[in-house]
C-alpha cells in the first residue's frame, strides 16, 4: 500500500463529504402568506452550518495532507486509523443537517443539535489525534523525523482542537449558536494557521 | 503542498458539484388528470437550471485549470482563496434547486430565486477574481510571468463576468427568466472563449 | 490542457454518476397490510433501471477510455464536445428515477418514462458520436492514425448504438419494458464487445 | 487499459459509495412530545447500519488494492468482473437505508431488511471471489505468481467471507440484529486481518 493510494482515497472521501454538504440545504417550503425571500432568510441555520462544516472539512483536508507529506510507509494500524478518521469525517453531513433543521427551533432541540455537532467534531478530533500520534511516535513511517519542536507544535495544535471542541460541547447546553460559533472559529483559526505555518515539516524536494 | 494535490482536490469537488446537479431534478408528482408527459414539460425550469449550472461549473473547471497551468508554487493565501472559490462553487446546486422549484411560479418567488442564483454566481466570480489577482500580481507563484497582454486579457474576461453577473442580478427584479438566460449566455461565451483562446499562457512543455 | 486532466475530470464525473444511481432506489413505503418483502418486490422497476443505467454508464466509461487512449492533444472543440457528452451522461440518473417510479404504472406514464429514458440515451449516443468523429476525422489529435479498418469498425459500433437507441425510443410507444430491455441488451452487447475487441487501437507502449 | 485507470475508477466508485452512506441518515422527524435527543436515540439502526456498511466498503477497498497490487495486465473479462463487483458494492447504500428504516420495527420488516442486507453482501462476496479466481488461476495477468501458500490463504479468506455472509443470511430469519452484527464482525475481522497480513503478496518495489 503506497501513501499515494491512501491519499487518493482519502482525498476522494473528503472531496465528496465537503461537496455533499450542499444537498442538506433544501429549497424552502413556502408557508401561506410567506415570500420566498422570507423563507430563505428563515433558513439561516442551514447556511451557517454549511459554512462551518465546509471550513472544518477543508481544514481536515489541509491537515491530512500536511501529515501525509511526511509519511513514506503505510502500516496496518495506520490504514485502520485513517479509515476511522474518514468514518467520522464522512459523518459530518449528518450533524450538519440536524443543526440546519433544529438550530432555529431554540430550546432542547437546538441544544441537542449543537451537542451532537460538537460531539462528532470532538470524536473526529480524537481520531485525527490518534492517527497523528501513531505517525509521529517514532520515525519508522517517516522519511526523516521532523525536528522535535515542529512535532511538538503540531501536537499542541491537535490538543488545542480537542480542548476547544470539548468546550464547545459543554457550551452547547448553554447556547447552541455560541457552541456552533466556537467550532467555526476553531476552523478559521486552523485555516489561517495552516496557511501561515512555514513548510518546515515538508521533506526537501517534496514540498 | 504541490499544485497537483490542490488541483486533484479541486477537480474532485468540481466533478462532484457538477454531477450532483442532477439530483435536484426530481421525477414529477402527478396531479390527478395529468399525464406524465405534461408533468415532465411543467418541470422545464429544472432542465434550464441544470443546463445553465452544468455549463457554469464546467467553465469554472476549464478556467481553474487554465490558471493553475501557470502556477508552480502554492502559498497559504492561495490555499484559502481556493477553498473560498470551492465554497461558493460547491454551493451552486442549492440556488439551482431553488430556481428549479420557483422559476415557474412567476412573481416574487421567481424573482427572488433568480436573484439568489445570480448573487451566488456573482460572489463566486468575485472569489475567482480574488484568486486570479493573487496568482498574477507578481511572478512569485508562477513558473514564468506570462506576457502582460495575456494577463490583461484574462483580467478583462474576469471583469466582464463580474459585470454580467451584476447585471443579471439587477435584471432578476425585472424578469427572472431573462436573468437566468443572461447567466447561461455568460457561460456559453466563456466556454467558447476558453475553447478558442490560444494556449499562449501555457508554459512550454506543460501544455 | 493535457488529456490526463481531461480524463481525470471525466472519470470523476462518470464514477459519481454511476454511484449516484443508487440513491434513486428508495426504501419502500409500506402500505397497510403489506409486508416489506412485498413492497421490495413491487419496486422491481427500480432494480431494472439501476442495472441498465449502471451497465450503460460503465460502458460509456470503457468506451471513453478506449477513445482517449489514442488522443495525445486536446483542442478547444474537443473540450466542448467532451463537456457535452458529460452533460448528457450526468443526466442519466434523472430518467432512471422516472423509469423507476413509473414503469410499474403501465399506460401513458410507463411509455413516457421509457421514451424519456431512450431519448436521453439517444442524445448521449449522438454526443459521443460527435466527439468520436471530431477525434478521428484527421490525425491532428492522435499520436498516430489507427488503421482505417479499426476506425471504420468503431464507427459502425457507434452507428449501431444510435440505431438501437432510436429503435428503443420508437418501441417505447408499444411497450415500455421492451424498450428498456433493448437499452439493456445494447449495454450488454457493448460491454462484451469492449471486453473482447483486441487492443489494436492502443498505441504501442501505452496499453 | 492500464491497471492505473481501472483502479482510479474503482477507487472513485468506492470512495463515493462509502461517503454516500451518510445521506441515508436523515435528521429525525419529531413526534409531538418527543425531544430531539429521544428522536436521535430512536434512530440507532441508522447508526449501526452506517457503521457496518462503512467498514464493509472500507474493507472492500483495502482488499481491492491488495489484489490489484499484483495485477500488471487487464483483460476483457477482468473489466467485466470488476464492473460486476462495483455494481453490487455501489448498491450497498440501498440495503443500508432499508435496514436503517426497518431494523427498529422488529418482526417481518426487520427480518426482511436484514435478509436483503446480508443477501447483497453475499452476492458482492461472490462477485469479488469470481474476480479473484480469474486473476489468480494462472499468472497471465500477474507480474509474477505469488507463492501458492499466499494465494491459498487469500482464497480461504474469501471462502470464509462467503460462508459467514450465507450464515448471516440464514440467521436473519431468526434475529435481524444478530445477522447485521455478524456482518459487522466479518468486516472487523477483515479490517484487522488486512492490516496485519504481511505484505508478502506485494511484488518487490511496488509495495
Amino acid at each position: 500500500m503506497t501513501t499515494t493510494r491512501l491519499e487518493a482515497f482519502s482525498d476522494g472521501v473528503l472531496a465528496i463529504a465537503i461537496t455533499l454538504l450542499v444537498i442538506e440545504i433544501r429549497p424552502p417550503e413556502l408557508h401561506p402568506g410567506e415570500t420566498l425571500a422570507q423563507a430563505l432568510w428563515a433558513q439561516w441555520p442551514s447556511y451557517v452550518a454549511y459554512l462551518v462544516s465546509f471550513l472544518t472539512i477543508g481544514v481536515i483536508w489541509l491537515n491530512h495532507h500536511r501529515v501525509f507529506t511526511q509519511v513514506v510507509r503505510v502500516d496496518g494500524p495506520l490504514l485502520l486509523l485513517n479509515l476511522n478518521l474518514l468514518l467520522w469525517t464522512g459523518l459530518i453531513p449528518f450533524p450538519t443537517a440536524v443543526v440546519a433543521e433544529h438550530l432555529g427551533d431554540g430550546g432542547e432541540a437546538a441544544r441537542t443539535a449543537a451537542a451532537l455537532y460538537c460531539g462528532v467534531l470532538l470524536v473526529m478530533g480524537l481520531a485525527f489525534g490518534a492517527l497523528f500520534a501513531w505517525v509521529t511516535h517514532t520515525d519508522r513511517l517517516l522519511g526523516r523525523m521532523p525536528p522535535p519542536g515542529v512535532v511538538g507544535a503540531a501536537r499542541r495544535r491537535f490538543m488545542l482542537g480537542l480542548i476547544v471542541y470539548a468546550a464547545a460541547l459543554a457550551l452547547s447546553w448553554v447556547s447552541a449558536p455560541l457552541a456552533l460559533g466556537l467550532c467555526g472559529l476553531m476552523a478559521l483559526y486552523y485555516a489561517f494557521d495552516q496557511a501561515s505555518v512555514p513548510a518546515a515539516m515538508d521533506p526537501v524536494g517534496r514540498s
Side-chain angles (χ1 to χ4, degrees), chain A residues 85-101:
Chain A
L85 172 61
L86 295 180
L87 174 82
W88 296 101
T89 309
L91 190 59
I92 289 176
F94 167 61
T96 304
V98 174
V99 160
E101 197 154 304

Side-chain angles (χ1 to χ4, degrees), chain A residues 69-194:
Chain A
T69 311
Q70 313 301 315
V71 175
V72 296
R73 268 179 299 283
V74 177
D75 61 3
L78 182 54
L79 281 177
L80 297 191
L81 289 167
N82 191 61
L83 261 188
N84 185 44
L85 172 61
L86 295 180
L87 174 82
W88 296 101
T89 309
L91 190 59
I92 289 176
F94 167 61
T96 304
V98 174
V99 160
E101 197 154 304
H102 294 291
L103 191 65
D105 296 356
E108 185 269 343
R111 288 194 304 272
T112 302
L116 175 73
Y117 190 87
C118 300
V120 167
L121 291 195
L122 178 61
V123 178
M124 179 281 298
L126 288 167
F128 210 153
L131 184 152
F132 185 74
W134 182 257
V135 164
T136 55
H137 82 279
T138 70
D139 66 354
R140 78 216 170 290
L141 302 177
L142 303 173
R144 60 175 181 79
M145 199 65 190
V150 171
V151 174
R155 280 198 184 141
R156 280 190 296 278
R157 280 197 303 273
F158 271 110
M159 199 52 71
L160 175 67
L162 295 182
I163 291 169
V164 169
Y165 288 139
L169 179 57
L171 192 60
S172 65
W173 270 276
V174 181
S175 162
L178 280 186
L180 199 65
L182 191 54
C183 294
L185 283 179
M186 193 65 223
L188 267 184
Y189 163 79
Y190 272 134
F192 281 96
D193 180 64
Q194 283 284 348

